[in-house]
Structure formats: structure tokens, C-alpha cells
Amino acid sequence: MAPNLHEVESAPLLLDENNNRNDQRVKPTSPLDAALNGSRKFYGSTNGNSWQKIERYDPLQHRKLENPTTNLDTLMHILNGNLGTGILAMPDAFKNSGLYLGLFGTMIMGSICTHCMHILVRCARELCSRYQVPSMSFAEVGQNCLECSGLPRLGRLIGFMINSFLVLMQIGFCSVYFLFVAVNIRDFLEYASIQTDVFTVLAGILIPMIALNMIRSLKLLAPTSMVASVLAISGITISFVFLLQDLPRTTTVSAVQSWNTLPLYFGTAMYAIEGIGVLLPLESNMKTPRDFCRWNGVLNTGMAIVVTLYTAIGFYGYLKYGDAAQGSITLNLPSEVFLGQLVRLLMAVAVFASYALQFYVPMSILSPVVRRQFGSRDAQDCVEYTVRIALVLVTFTLAAIIPNLGAFISLVGAVSTSTLALVFPPLIEIVTFWPGRQYGRWNWIFWKDVAIACFGMSGFLIGTSTSVTQIVTNWE
């Protein structure tokens, strides 16, 4: 017989039919009970005399993975997921913020986003422990934290909203990736005296893009991420060769821009910090997940590298090119110099290889939904591959009609990334620890989360309206 769980310190004693004390205590019967007693040890008994200590459920010990990733694999995925088109748009972001506001603003926003990533992982592990499951998706974390607080209907709505924002964000990323690859390959081909247009290049890379996205395992994508990261860092390194030559004085550019363009800076910077969508899949697929959130662990190491590169590219790119900075710094590099064309080619291949990692997120959401509609394994595989092809075609279509790369990047960042990275994680933390009011002295965790969520919501509203206005203006 399985042991009865009960909490030694606070569970009420039971009385038998003769009102005599029965040395048996109430078992936590729901995740809400686990939330209230989450910091305590539970004990069990197989009979009335022998007692056995039972540890609280540890989800990290119950994960059974076919192809777990190493710390290095995960670090490469984090770099690959963040060193995409967003970092190359940072000079354009600094153009909208000013040199020094962009410098300090990017470091602050990077730190806040990294903190929110830690919040999300912490809450996911806490909820996994309460529900006794090895892992949860972003949407499941949002849904289950509300269910623990007695709001199941609202939980289902929030879960649907998170999944919707994730799919929209990743489809937006993939569309920008598609266009970025096509534009840079077009420029390289023109350097080689081959005249073509962007749409022709888009059509030319469509079949290879579909083939790459037939891969379904993160472990199998690890070599691709490794190659993409090496190429991206090589391209960024060569870019610095151009950016650091003949730098003008800092007085030649604006230190702080007007309030009218700051929302565009916010949207572009939030787009650049684009790793929130792949965060939980990466953590749950690790061989040693405890190394993910240590102070010197995989997440902090990866984000420190990413934010440093963001800040440096934005600062020197804007200082070098000023108001002429374009939506991608590769478009500012001299087209008549071979090294400039080499950067375009390296970054195009790196972003092409990174597409599959960004594509992994919407498929991890949509695949279970479509697969459960069919009984046989062959039918499930067939319909999943069909959905993969259809989604690649959607991103191809969006890439073909995007009028302005910079404005679209800002829109994706303001709409999806700000809500997923700055709004949902702090709200999830508030709700997750609401039953026991575990907010620290003076409820500082609660007020900190409220401030971050308000900041993210303000950026969402103002950034979205400004980006839409600019896109409509450019289209006209």
C-alpha cells in the first residue's frame, strides 16, 4: 500500500468515531495545498508505527529524454536564438534612442529580460513540483498558476493567449529571417555581377528552408546551431573591423533622441532579445538542468555575451553611420569591398541556419493539437509535415510583402516580445506565490513584478501604435 502523505507540523489531527486522537494527518489533495505547504517536508507511513521521510517532488529528477542536450549545446542554442537579425538592427535602435540613452537602456533592458527569464524558469519548476510533472510549456505555466489560485477558466484563457503570442512572435521572427537572408544574398549576387531581385532569391531558398525545417529534434539541431553561432560571431567580428575604422567624435550624433522615436527603440531592442520563446524548451531538454540558472550557469553566461554584443554593435554602429543606419547593419557596410560582402554572406547563412530553432517553438505548440486529431502514427507524421510546410510558406509570403525591415522588426518586438518577456513572467510569479504570499520582506517581490509588468505593458501599447504608424506611412 502506498504511504499516506501528511504534513507533520501543521496538518490537523483526525478523531476516530470515539473522539480519540488518531495519529494520522490530512494529505495535501490539490496543487493549492502544495502551494500553501510548498516549503515544508512531507512524511509518509505504511503503518501506524513506522515513519518514512518523503522529499517534495523534484521535476528535474523525473525527466526522461531521448536526446538530451549538453550545457554547451544549450549555450549554443541560446546564442543562436539571440544572435539573429535583432543584433544587426541595434544601430537602427540606437538611432531612435540616441547614443547614451541606447547604451545604458540596452544594458538595463537586457538585465531585466534576463531576470524575467529566471522568473519564468523558477515558476515553471515550482508548478511542476506541485503538479508532479517533469516539465511544462510557457502556456501551461501561465494556465496552471491561475488554476492553483482557484481561477481555472481564466487560466485556460491566459494559456491560450500565451500560445497565441508565442506563435505570432516566432512567425514574425521567421518572416524577418527569411527576408534578411534574401536581401543579403541578393546584394552578394550583385557583387558577383549576377542581377536578380529579392523575390527571386526568396523563391530560390524556399525549398532548402522547407527541408531544414523537417528536423524535429533539438538535439539534431545542435550542430546547426553550432555552425550558425560560429558564422554569426565571425560576421559580427568582421563588422567591427569596419565599425571601428575612422570613428567620428561622439558629439556628431545625438546623445538622446526625442520621445517620438523612443517607442521604436524599445520595440527593436525587445525584438533583439528574442530568446524567451525557446527558454523553457531548452531548459527542459538539458542533461544537467540545474546548471541552467546558476549565477555562472548557462543562462547568465549566454545572456551576458548577448547583451554585451548588442550594446557594442548598437553603440559603434550608430556612432559610425549616424542617422544613415539601416534596419540591418550589413546594409551599411561598403558593397564594393569583399569583406563587406563576406559579412553579408556569413550572416545570411547564419540566420538561415537559425531559422529552424525559431521555427521549433510554433511547431511545439501546434504539433500536439493537429496530431491528436488522427489515430495512426503515419497519419500524425504526415499531417505534422504538412503543417510544417504550410507554416514555412506563411513566413515566405509575409517576407515577400514586408515593406520596411526596420519598422516590422520594431512591431514584432513591441507586440509579442514585450508581452512575453516583460508582462507575463512577473504576473506569473505574482500569481504562483499568491496562495502563501511568499513575496519577501515588505512584499518587495510583488512590487518589483508590478513595476516590470507596467513597464512592459507601456512599451507594448506605445511601441505598437508607433510601429504601425510608421509601417502605414512607408507603405503609402
Side-chain angles (χ1 to χ4, degrees), residues 20 27 31 45 51 80 110 173 178 231 246 259 329 381 413:
N20 295 320
K27 167 186 175 182
S45 173
W51 297 89
N80 187 24
F173 286 163
F178 228 134
L231 292 178
D246 302 322
W259 286 101
I329 192 62
D381 290 342

Side-chain angles (χ1 to χ4, degrees), residues 190-468:
E190 288 183 352
Y191 174 77
S193 302
I194 301 175
Q195 298 299 320
T196 185
D197 57 24
V198 173
F199 184 80
T200 302
V201 178
L202 281 171
I205 62 176
L206 177 60
I207 299 302
M209 192 72 84
I210 291 176
L212 177 65
N213 287 280
M214 295 298 103
I215 301 175
R216 299 188 293 181
S217 169
L218 269 180
K219 180 65 176 179
L220 297 179
L221 286 176
T224 304
S225 291
M226 179 76 76
V227 171
S229 298
V230 170
L231 292 178
I233 292 174
S234 300
I236 292 169
T237 302
I238 299 174
S239 297
F240 274 112
V241 173
F242 293 98
L243 297 182
L244 298 179
Q245 288 180 355
D246 302 322
L247 279 174
R249 299 179 67 86
T250 56
T251 54
T252 59
V253 294
S254 300
V256 179
Q257 291 285 19
S258 68
W259 286 101
N260 295 331
T261 57
L262 285 182
L264 295 175
Y265 160 75
F266 174 85
T268 305
M270 287 307 306
Y271 172 91
I273 306 173
E274 56 196 45
I276 191 72
V278 298
L279 182 71
L280 290 182
L282 291 180
E283 187 270 345
S284 63
N285 204 62
M286 287 184 67
K287 182 185 299 183
T288 55
R290 297 189 195 281
D291 293 339
F292 191 72
C293 287
R294 298 185 193 277
W295 72 268
N296 59 345
V298 175
L299 179 57
N300 284 349
T301 301
M303 291 307 298
I305 296 172
V306 166
V307 174
T308 300
L309 289 174
Y310 285 165
T311 306
I313 285 285
F315 183 89
Y316 290 110
Y318 177 52
L319 181 60
K320 175 74 173 181
Y321 298 109
D323 291 338
Q326 299 191 45
S328 171
I329 192 62
T330 59
L331 302 178
N332 285 107
L333 301 180
S335 58
E336 69 280 358
V337 179
F338 173 74
L339 275 181
Q341 294 298 335
L342 180 61
V343 171
R344 288 185 172 91
L345 183 61
L346 288 174
M347 295 307 301
V349 177
V351 170
F352 178 88
S354 302
Y355 183 103
L357 180 61
Q358 301 297 340
F359 192 80
Y360 180 87
V361 178
M363 281 309 305
S364 68
I365 295 171
L366 298 176
S367 177
V369 176
V370 297
R371 289 180 72 90
R372 72 170 63 107
Q373 308 301 321
F374 299 86
S376 69
R377 180 68 177 270
D378 290 340
Q380 290 176 344
D381 290 342
C382 182
V383 73
E384 179 177 342
Y385 286 125
T386 302
V387 171
R388 287 175 175 271
I389 294 172
L391 276 185
V392 174
L393 291 174
V394 168
T395 63
F396 168 82
T397 304
L398 289 173
I401 63 175
I402 293 173
N404 182 280
L405 184 62
F408 189 77
I409 285 175
S410 180
L411 177 63
V412 173
V415 172
S416 296
T417 313
S418 62
T419 53
L420 291 170
L422 295 178
V423 177
F424 283 121
L427 293 181
I428 286 173
E429 184 175 42
I430 290 174
V431 177
T432 298
F433 297 102
W434 180 264
R437 306 295 193 275
Q438 303 170 45
Y439 297 136
R441 190 175 184 181
W442 298 313
N443 292 325
W444 72 270
I445 295 177
F446 175 86
W447 295 114
K448 175 262 299 179
D449 288 340
V450 169
I452 294 175
C454 290
F455 173 66
M457 185 58 67
S458 300
F460 163 72
L461 296 173
I462 301 173
T464 300
S465 62
T466 305
S467 300
V468 169

